[in-house]
Amino acid sequence: MAWRPLKIVVLISQTTSKLADLFNEDTPIDVNSSDKSMIEKLRLLDELEEVERKSIFNIIDMAITKKRLKDTLSNALNTI
């Protein structure tokens, strides 16, 4: 369950990449980031436009915040 937000981000990056290829005049290259290491995924994220990159980082931040809140509330309930 902890990897679910990462899977969502990967799917979004794949979709964004494929959409970008539609508007690219060059031959599209199939990028499947689920086969890449974390460092390679970060490098691929860095290649995105600023708006796309900010959107993905906002999603990651929301997922981390949600997990931390869930963990905090779970710990608080367990100590009662």
Side-chain angles (χ1 to χ4, degrees):
M1 190 78 125
W3 289 102
R4 181 174 226 141
L6 181 59
K7 288 181 183 178
I8 292 170
V9 170
V10 169
L11 289 173
I12 290 171
S13 70
Q14 290 172 348
T15 303
T16 304
S17 172
K18 289 180 183 182
L19 285 174
D21 287 341
L22 290 174
F23 299 105
N24 190 354
E25 294 180 3
D26 300 332
T27 305
I29 299 171
D30 187 27
V31 176
N32 188 353
S33 65
S34 62
D35 295 337
K36 308 286 184 201
S37 70
M38 185 60 74
I39 300 297
E40 180 68 13
K41 289 177 189 178
L42 291 174
R43 190 188 63 74
L44 291 171
L45 280 174
D46 194 45
E47 293 177 4
L48 297 175
E49 290 185 23
E50 183 70 20
V51 173
E52 295 168 330
R53 194 171 40 251
K54 283 183 179 181
S55 297
I56 290 174
F57 287 133
N58 283 336
I59 292 170
I60 292 170
D61 291 342
M62 288 186 323
I64 291 169
T65 301
K66 179 182 171 186
K67 175 160 180 12
R68 287 181 179 166
L69 179 61
K70 182 179 175 184
D71 291 347
T72 301
L73 292 174
S74 179
N75 289 337
L77 290 174
N78 287 335
T79 60
I80 294 179

